[in-house]
Amino acid sequence: MTSWTLLIIAALTATGFFVGQAKAQGLRNAGTASLHSLPAYHGLLMASMALAAAGITTLAVAAIAGPNSLVMPAAAALLGTGAIAASYRIITRDFRARNRFEFFVMLVLIACSAVAVLTTVGIVFSVLFESLAFFSEVSPIEFLFGTHWAPTSTPPSFGLIPLLAGTLLITFIAIVVAGPLGLLSAIYMAEYSSRKMRGVLKPMLEILAGVPTVVLGFFAALTVAPLVRNAGESLGLNVASESALAAGLVMGMMIVPLISSLSDDIINAVPQALRDGSYAMGATKSETIKRVVLPAALPGIVSAFMLAISRAIGETMIVVMAAGLAANLTFNPLAAVTTITVQIATLLVGDQEFDSAKTLSAFALGFVLFCFTLVLNYIALRIVQRYREQYD
Amino acid sequence: MTDTFDKGNAAFIAKRYASERRFKAYGAVALAVSVLFLVYLIVDIGIKAWPSFFEHRVVLEVNLDASKIPADEVLKGDFEGLVRGSLRSLFPRVTTRGDVRSLTSLLSAGAADDLRQDTAANPASIGTTVRAGALLGDDSDLYLKGMLTTTLRMPGTTNLQLAQSGEEFILTGDLSQLAVGQIVRANGGALRITGVEAGLAKAEAILPPATLNSLTPGTWDILSFSRAEADRRIDDRQVVLLEALRDKGVIEKHFAWRFFTSGDSREPELAGLRGAIFGSLLTLIMTLSLSVPLGIAAAVYLEEFAAKNKWTEIIEVNINNLAAVPSIIFGLLGLAVFINFFGLPRSAPLVGGLVLALLVLPTIIIASRAALKAVPPSIKEAALGVGASHQQAVFHHVLPLAVPGILTGTILGVARALGETAPLLMIGMVAFIVDVPKGFTEAATVLPVQIFLWSDLPEIAFQSRTAAAIIVLLVILFGLNAAAIYMRKRFERRW
C-alpha cells in the first residue's frame, strides 16, 4: 500500500500545482490589473497544501492503522483533494500566495535544521532509557567501579574499569604515535613546504583520512599485529597476537590526518605579523615556530588533540578486528586488552533480547562513551571557537 | 635572554642553524612516515588481493548425456556427475575409492555451474560433447597460485631399479637425488620416499605405478615441497593429481569475473561481491535521498535565514557535536529507535540508509554552509536590489552558485557513508546474504560489512578475497574522492 499512497500523494501534489497555476493564469489573462503573486506561486502554494494534507493524513493513518491498511491511500486521496478544492476558492487577484508559500518554505527549512537536534535528542534518549533499564538490574556503583567484566558468564559481572583501562591504553598509544607525527606534519606543511608540495601532500593525507576503518582493522590484524609480534619475540618479549600496541599503532595512523589538518588550519590562522616580528628580532624559522607560532596556536592544538582523543575512544572497527575480547585489567601494551566499543559491538551483533542485562549493558557502555566524547568535543569546539574569535 | 646574537660567536650560530635543519627534518620525516604508511597499506593489501582476481579452471571434454539432463528442466540436470565423470576419464588408472575422492575434491562445489548455465542457454548442445571449464576448489586454486607450498620439480638424472614388497616399494641404484618426503613420479604412478638407507630407498605409493620397470634418466622426475604435507591444506595425492593435470595442459587461468557477478558463498572460490555492491547501492540511495535535501535545507536556513538567537546557537553547537559523535553511537540509535521502537525490519537497507543519513548529515550541512558562505553577498544584494524577495534571492541566485561546493561536500559524505561499518553491525546488516537484495526492506549487506565478515573466516582463500574486496572498496572511494577534487578544481571560483 505504501507505494500506492506515495504515488497518490505525488499525483495530488502535481495536480495542485497545475490547478493553482492555471487558475491564477486565468485571472491574469482576464483582468487588467496585475496579480499580487506570479501564477507559479499560486500553483506551488496549492501543491504544498495538497502535499501537507495528504502527507499528514498518511502518517496519522499509518500510525493508527498500520502501513498496510487500505484506509491509508483512500484517506490521503480524500484529504489531498479536499485541500486542493478548499484552496482553489481562495485564489484571487490580491491573494498573497508568494508570502504564504515562503512561510511554508521557511517552516520546512526550520524543520530540516531541527533534525540535527532531534538526532541528538534521539541518541540521548535511546541510550539513556536502555541504560536506566540496565541500572535497575545492576547497580551503577558496581558498573562504574567494578574491576571485572564478564557479561556472558554466570553470574555475569559488569565492571567498567577493565574496559576503560583498555580503551585508554589503546588511545594513549594512538596519541603517542599520532600527536608528534600529526603536529610535525602540520608544521612542515604550513611553514616549510612549497605550494606545489603542499598540493601533493595534503591530498595524500586526505586519502589516508578517507581509508575506511574496516580496512585499517584488516591491516592491523593481518599485517601490523604479526609484525609487532615478531619484532617483540626477536627481542625476547612475550607479545599477545592481539596486542594493544598493534591496534594502537594503526589507530594512531588513522588520526594523524585529523590532527595534522586541524593543526594546519590553526597554524595558518596565526597572524603573519607575529612571525614577522620574530624574524625581525633575528630568530630562525624553527625558533619562531617553537617560541611564537606554537604558543599562539596552543589552544587550538590542544583542542585538535582532544578531538583526536575523542575519535580514538569512539573508534570501533580497528579494535574489533585487531584488539582482544577478554577484559584484562593491565597497562602492558604488549598484552591483549578490550575496549568499550569492542564490547558494544560484540554484545549487539547477532540476535538481541532487549530485556537481558547483557544487551542492555551495551547501551550503558554506549552512554559512557557518548558522555566521554561529548565532553571532549564540547570543550574542544569551545576552545576553537573562542580562539577563532581572538584572531578574526 | 642569554642567547642574544653575538657577532663573534660563530659556533652559536652554527648550533642554531643545525637545530633549524634538524627541526625541518623532523617535519619531513613525520610526513614521510604518514605517506609511507599509506603506500605500505595499499601495496600490502594489493599484494594479498592480487591472486583473488584470478581463478583456475580445468578444461574438460564433457559429453552432455541426454539421459542425465531432463529436456524440460535443463537446470536440474546432473552436471556435477558429468563433470566429475569427465575428469575421471582423464585418469583411467585412478580407480580406488580414496583416489577418486581425492580427484573430485580438486573441483569446486560449483564446478558445474558454468556448464549448467551454458547448457541452459544453449539446449541444442545436449547430447553432444562440449569443452567446458570446471572451476577448481579453493585449495587447488591456492596450490596452483603457489600460496600453499612452493613445489620444485627436478628431472631424474640417474638410473634406479624399482621393486615392490607388499605395500612398500624399494628403490635401489644411484640414490643421490632422493630425500625423505619427496615424490618420485615414474611409470605412471607416484611414490613418496619414506626412508633412505644405505643402498636402498623405501617408498609408499600415492598413485600405484603401472609397471615395475627400471627408471632411466629422463623418464622420471621428483617433486619436492617447501612445506611438508602435514603443514599444508592440500595432501600429496591431490598435488600429484594437480601436477598431472598441469602436465596435460588442461588447467587454465582466467580473470575471476565471478568475483563481481556472484553473491556471497561459504566456498571462497565462489564468493563474490554482487550482493554487497547492490546492498551498498540501495543503502546509499536511501542515505542520499534523505541527507542531501535535509542537509541543504538546514544549511540554507542556518546560513541565510536564521536569526542569531539561542535556538540557532543550540542547533549549531549540536551539528558540530554530532559530527564528532562516534559512529557506533548512531548504530545504538538505529537499534533502539528505528528497529526496537518503530519496528522497522532488521538488516534492511532502509534502516541502514536512515542511520547513515543521520551520520553524514552534519558533514553535508557543514560543507553546504561553507559553500553558501563563499558566495559573495553582492550577488544576493543585487537580487534584492531589483526587487526579489529574500527567498527568491537565495533560491534563485545564491544556491545555484553554491551547488558545486555542496556537491563536493556531498560526495565526501557519500564516501564516508560507503566506508562506514560499525553502525551497520549494530542494526544487523551482518546476515549471510547470497542473493541480491530486491528492495529497501529486504535483508542485505554492504561492502565494508562484507569485508568484515570475510575477514573473520578461517580459510586462507578468504583472506585474499577480503583483500580483494578492500581493493574494490578503495577504488570506489578513491574514485569518489578524485571526483570531489576534480569538481573543486573545475568549479572553484575566486570572487
Side-chain angles (χ1 to χ4, degrees), chain A residues 71-137:
Chain A
V71 187
M72 196 164 76
L78 199 69
L79 268 97
T81 322
I84 292 176
S87 47
Y88 188 79
R89 295 152 55 88
I90 58 175
I91 294 179
T92 59
R93 198 175 296 283
D94 297 325
F95 182 59
R96 299 161 75 83
R98 180 176 60 74
N99 306 49
R100 296 287 174 86
F101 177 69
E102 289 188 349
F103 178 73
F104 181 79
V105 169
M106 198 53 88
L107 284 185
V108 171
L109 292 184
I110 292 174
C112 287
S113 32
V115 168
V117 181
L118 279 180
T119 308
T120 310
V121 172
I123 288 176
V124 170
F125 275 86
S126 60
V127 177
L128 197 65
F129 278 141
E130 310 294 348
S131 301
L132 287 179
F134 172 70
F135 287 130
S136 69
E137 289 182 41

Side-chain angles (χ1 to χ4, degrees), chain B residues 77-273:
Chain B
D78 180 21
F79 290 93
E80 282 82 7
L82 292 174
V83 166
R84 285 201 198 120
S86 167
L87 181 64
R88 279 182 63 181
S89 69
L90 288 178
F91 294 94
R93 292 186 20 74
V94 170
T95 48
T96 66
R97 185 183 271 264
D99 287 351
V100 169
R101 193 175 300 144
S102 284
L103 184 58
T104 47
S105 74
L106 298 178
L107 292 174
S108 160
D113 291 354
D114 292 341
L115 180 61
R116 187 193 310 276
Q117 297 302 335
D118 289 349
T119 312
N122 180 20
S125 63
I126 296 174
T128 63
T129 299
V130 294
R131 271 168 64 84
L135 187 66
L136 287 172
D138 57 330
D139 291 334
S140 326
D141 189 50
L142 287 175
Y143 173 77
L144 292 170
K145 285 166 181 165
M147 289 166 72
L148 294 181
T149 170
T150 315
T151 307
L152 219 66
R153 287 171 176 232
M154 287 176 294
T157 55
T158 60
N159 284 304
L160 289 174
Q161 283 76 48
L162 185 58
Q164 186 172 13
S165 72
E167 290 284 290
E168 201 168 56
F169 289 84
I170 310 284
L171 287 157
T172 49
D174 182 353
L175 302 175
S176 58
Q177 275 189 295
L178 303 184
V180 174
Q182 289 177 339
I183 293 176
V184 170
R185 299 196 301 169
N187 296 344
L191 302 168
R192 175 168 49 205
I193 312 289
T194 53
V196 182
E197 296 157 26
L200 69 108
K202 289 179 181 167
E204 59 186 352
I206 293 175
L207 281 180
T211 64
L212 293 175
N213 296 341
S214 296
L215 314 183
T216 52
T219 61
W220 60 286
D221 64 1
I222 301 174
L223 301 177
S224 63
F225 308 101
S226 62
R227 231 180 272 177
E229 187 180 27
D231 301 336
R232 55 181 137 88
R233 289 173 53 89
I234 189 164
D235 62 25
D236 280 348
R237 197 190 284 158
Q238 289 169 313
V239 167
V240 166
L241 291 169
L242 273 176
E243 290 294 344
L245 282 174
R246 183 135 72 175
D247 291 344
K248 287 183 207 286
V250 291
I251 287 183
E252 286 181 357
K253 190 177 181 182
H254 291 278
F255 187 77
W257 288 111
R258 204 182 304 274
F259 186 56
F260 301 95
T261 56
S262 66
D264 197 5
S265 167
R266 293 273 181 247
E267 307 293 332
E269 72 278 4
L270 295 174
L273 288 178

Side-chain angles (χ1 to χ4, degrees), chain B residues 269-282:
Chain B
E269 72 278 4
L270 295 174
L273 288 178
R274 193 173 133 101
I277 288 173
F278 275 90
S280 271
L281 206 65
L282 285 179

Side-chain angles (χ1 to χ4, degrees), chain A residues 127-366:
Chain A
V127 177
L128 197 65
F129 278 141
E130 310 294 348
S131 301
L132 287 179
F134 172 70
F135 287 130
S136 69
E137 289 182 41
V138 178
S139 90
I141 309 277
E142 189 196 322
F143 176 69
L144 287 176
F145 300 106
T147 55
H148 189 58
W149 176 268
T152 48
S153 65
T154 39
S157 53
F158 300 97
L160 179 68
I161 299 293
L163 305 189
L164 206 57
T167 307
L168 293 180
L169 175 62
I170 291 181
T171 305
F172 177 74
I173 297 169
I175 294 295
V176 165
V177 173
L181 282 181
L183 189 55
L184 285 169
S185 304
I187 290 171
Y188 190 85
M189 283 204 297
E191 301 282 339
Y192 286 108
S193 70
S194 61
R195 241 191 126 81
K196 210 170 155 188
M197 231 175 128
R198 217 179 130 84
V200 180
L201 291 172
K202 222 173 151 90
M204 286 290 246
L205 287 176
E206 276 170 11
I207 289 179
L208 183 54
V211 174
T213 53
V214 67
V215 176
L216 292 173
F218 178 77
F219 184 66
L222 259 85
T223 305
V224 178
L227 273 181
V228 168
R229 200 181 144 94
N230 292 340
E233 270 167 5
S234 67
L235 293 174
L237 297 167
N238 187 16
V239 185
S241 58
E242 297 184 318
S243 63
L245 188 59
L249 281 176
V250 174
M251 195 184 278
M253 294 316 294
M254 174 196 83
I255 52 180
V256 163
L258 179 71
I259 292 188
S260 80
S261 79
L262 288 173
S263 307
D264 190 22
D265 290 348
I266 288 150
I267 290 171
N268 278 323
V270 173
Q272 185 62 28
L274 290 184
R275 292 189 189 86
D276 293 342
S278 172
Y279 295 147
M281 302 285 285
T284 64
K285 213 162 184 173
S286 66
E287 284 163 353
T288 305
I289 293 165
K290 279 186 273 192
R291 297 194 186 166
V292 177
V293 178
L294 287 186
L298 193 63
I301 290 170
V302 168
S303 76
F305 273 66
M306 290 175 78
L307 285 176
I309 292 172
S310 136
R311 170 77 72 83
I313 289 177
E315 170 47 38
T316 310
M317 291 322 292
I318 294 178
V319 280
V320 164
M321 294 166 87
L325 277 177
N328 300 321
L329 184 50
T330 173
F331 284 102
N332 175 9
L334 304 178
V337 295
T338 191
T339 71
I340 295 178
T341 48
V342 170
Q343 290 305 318
I344 297 178
T346 40
L347 285 171
L348 289 185
V349 169
D351 289 323
Q352 318 97 3
E353 303 133 39
F354 261 85
D355 44 5
S356 81
K358 193 184 124 211
T359 305
L360 293 175
S361 70
F363 284 89
L365 290 178

